[in-house]
Amino acid sequence: MCQFLLNGQSPIESIVRSCDSFTPGRREGFSRSSHFTGYDGLTVGKTLVIVESPAKAQTISRFLGSSYQVEASFGHVRDLPNNADEIPEDIRGKSWARLGVDVENSYQPVYVVPPDKKRHVTNLRKALKNADHLLLATDEDREGESIVWHLLEVLRPKIPVQRIVFHEVTPEAIKEALANPRDVDERLVRAQESRRVLDRLYGYTLSPLLWKKVQGGLSAGRVQSVAVRLCVMREQERAAFHSSSYWDIEATLNAQEGTFQATLTRLNDKRMPAGKDFDPSTGQLKAEGVHILDRAAAEKLCSNLKNAAPWTVTKLQETPATSRPAPPFITSTLQQEANRKLGFTARRTMSAAQELYEGISLRGGERVGLITYMRTDSVTLAERAIEEARQLIAKRYGADYIPAQPRRYKTKSKNAQEAHEAIRPTELHRDPQSVRASLTPDQYKLYELIWKRTLACQMADAQLQRTTLDVSVKSDGDTAVFTARGKKILFPGYLRAYVEGSDDPMAEIGDQESIIPHIDEGHEVSADKLDAKGHETQPPARYTEASLIRKLEEEGIGRPSTYASIITTIQLRGYVFKLGNALVPTFTAYAVTHLLEKHFGDLVDLQFTARMEDALDDISNGRLDWLAHIDDFYRGGTQNPGLEQRVEKEVDLIQYPAIPVRGDGDTETASEPPIVVRIGRFGPYLQQGENNGDAHRASIPQDFPPADLDYDKARELLNAKKEGPRVVGHDPETGQEISVRTGRFGPYIQLGHDRGDADPKDYKPKRASLEHGMSEEQVTLEEALRLLSLPRFLGKHPDSGIDIFADRGRYGPYVRMEKEYRSLEATDDVYTVELDRALELLAQPKGRRKAAVKTVLKELGNAPDSDTAIKVMDGRYGPYVTDGEVNATLPRGKKPDEVTLDEGLQLLAEKRAKGPGRRKQAATTKKTATKKKTTAKKKTTTKKKSTAKKTTSKRKTAAKKKSAS
């Protein structure tokens, strides 16, 4: 029987080819019940098909007959060792063992089967024993081809093996793939292995340098280090930014045709400025021919124009415009749009997408995958999906919404690996509402986003009309021109289904119309209201997850499938933290970026990864030798030293990174030593002076944005440290000093002094964080004593005798008894709660709360169509309006006593239209799932009992026959 030659050669050289007796060629017709037939047309028997994911395996198995067994490899079955425990015993003593790459022997990788993959390998080996032929059907890209090679290395099949590929999980695509099998592409495998080895050498060579020179626990990576640098560069731009102010005038104008808003755009022969006209680094005006108004001038002009006349329309321009739909989602655009529209992190998006892809149990017990594979670079759609979309559009919106020709999109990304089609619903007729009851809130929101985008990408263009209207008026020799701009949707087209989001949080929503009346030139209007408006130029916005992913994609840095893990990693490593939705770099990120830029600038250059992807493409195409490329990177040559030599050369030259604090000129003096930020064991700190006894130091609060640290703020922190903590008084019981201090986690209260040399080793002063809203400058002795009173001992449990305490934690006040915790209700006070109440809470099941007593803040009256009372209540998360069934949170800034009945009814109507909230929907879903699980369990138990009875009966009959014989 034909088999692959696995002869123990190097990982790449041992990639095997089909033997002559099993050459890929013509295949018999494909049907659900057909057996795989070889080149000679004889039936081979049972065929094992291996794909990457269980969801794909489940889908494909529906298209194939009983002669096929489809199994999943769950991605890669082997990888380089991730930790010391995974390094094989026979190489542990070697100098290169920690790398997992034999740098002394042609960079041969050491592959191991990770613990979480062993059970999958065992399952595949069992399936292989019952198979007569093996089909490897992973993706047609470097990653997929590498998975195939690893499977061959691990499984060592002794049966005919062939490679098939398909870009769509459809019966037609699978039929085509079975008819055209091929060999393993050795060059793709080499390219993928080169990427893995290069990434390992990059990270495992530079990371120890960061441990030694910056801080332990840090890491460097080919993609993550560039992502961190991008965040640092943006923060540096914000720090260098100089704000400028300018004023203009907004007018409310009336005409017979309607009322509209207009803004002053020209004064005499000069136009009014916009933010882009100022230099962001100096704040100076960089544009010419621009008229700048300060507040006094703007208000004076505003006063003069109020009585001016006539206001005459001098220009009316109506221009047709076309808006085209965005292409269907790929991995990166899905992450960006989910972040913009839903506020999802990249990891949260991919988690929900994975669940939708792997399959959801719908009503009736059918388990189906709702979307296609969610890790893809391709914007192409299967022809079947395009046709289904066009039919659905015609049915829902009418024939006018279908373009004359189907839309087919092309991938623009230079380094895209198009092994899959775009992310789309597996069945477009399965609309979001039809599956909502079976989905969690996250799954539903993401599925709705994907469904709408897929439908919209095949719809007709939106036809718009953009209008520009100029109105002129003269006063005291000045001619002022006010401009109104509007947009009218003539034909909505794809906007009926979907509107793409924006990275700019301040931008107007794209689908909003702004209609201004049609007023012919020469007609007069009147000014109803004039307001002088001041503006401040804004620094560049920090990256959000969406905009950072977009930047990485634009620069060709990394792969879409890795973006979620990259953003998670740089947060876990302490390189960035979140401030709202923005990613703010830490001072640790500054130190690491400074070190890498100074000594290994080319490795964190934005084009480094793009150049590497080009090199990997050259390896894939056979134009570049993979070993030579790796050796050039790691060892280099005499004129061009590689990474290994550079680290050895630079390690003694690299100084402990110190980040200079920017000075404002007015406050920084030449007589003072410079102030720098350093990274210590417990985080960043300020230092003024040399590393000796004369140096002054002060901790920088954790999550302090670097762009906000100027010379004045730095000196303020140092002076506060130098002067010592602010003493608010003394403890009346012990007489110890109580002070307010600032540490790495922010301001706090301390009872007692810092530990000195004479104090015992276990001495630790008592501390308490300030409550939200407290100011460290205004904390009183009474407040400090109240904070220090926690944890409060409430008493002992009457049955167990265990101590019970009340305390305040990260998630609010609570009571505890050893490892048992229960959160306090909104009506409880951590400073006054008694033992009886604590016992009541601790007696409740964990995770379940007794409903707190609700406080009525205002009675609004009864609903007009019923006797239902509408009230404003005080809730745990703020005031809300309710009719007893639906609760709607009050808008921010709206006071309970200001709410009217009409406003309350409007809020309730809007909340009711949105559907049930996350918790309620999740609880319903969980209840349904539990019920199904219980029913399934009962059926399984009944079936097992029935089978057991039959088996027992058979055994008794056999025993009687044997006895009789």
Side-chain angles (χ1 to χ4, degrees), residues 589-639:
Y590 265 61
V592 168
T593 299
H594 175 73
L595 185 152
L596 294 177
E597 283 179 336
K598 185 175 181 180
H599 300 278
F600 306 96
D602 57 316
L603 299 184
V604 289
D605 183 83
L606 299 187
Q607 297 303 312
F608 173 75
T609 295
R611 291 194 299 268
M612 178 174 162
E613 292 294 339
D614 291 339
L616 295 178
D617 286 341
D618 289 341
I619 293 172
S620 300
N621 298 323
R623 295 192 295 266
L624 180 64
D625 181 77
W626 71 288
L627 279 175
H629 178 60
I630 294 174
D631 192 62
D632 181 63
F633 171 78
Y634 188 66
R635 291 259 163 74
T638 307
Q639 301 298 324

Side-chain angles (χ1 to χ4, degrees), residues 153-188:
E153 286 283 291
V154 170
L155 299 179
R156 304 266 172 170
K158 297 181 179 179
I159 57 175
V161 185
Q162 285 187 301
R163 173 86 166 102
I164 63 170
V165 294
F166 44 86
H167 298 168
E168 306 164 4
V169 186
T170 61
E172 299 81 7
I174 295 171
K175 178 180 178 180
E176 177 69 18
L178 289 170
N180 296 280
R182 63 166 175 80
D183 293 338
V184 177
D185 190 326
E186 181 178 342
R187 294 179 301 189
L188 281 178

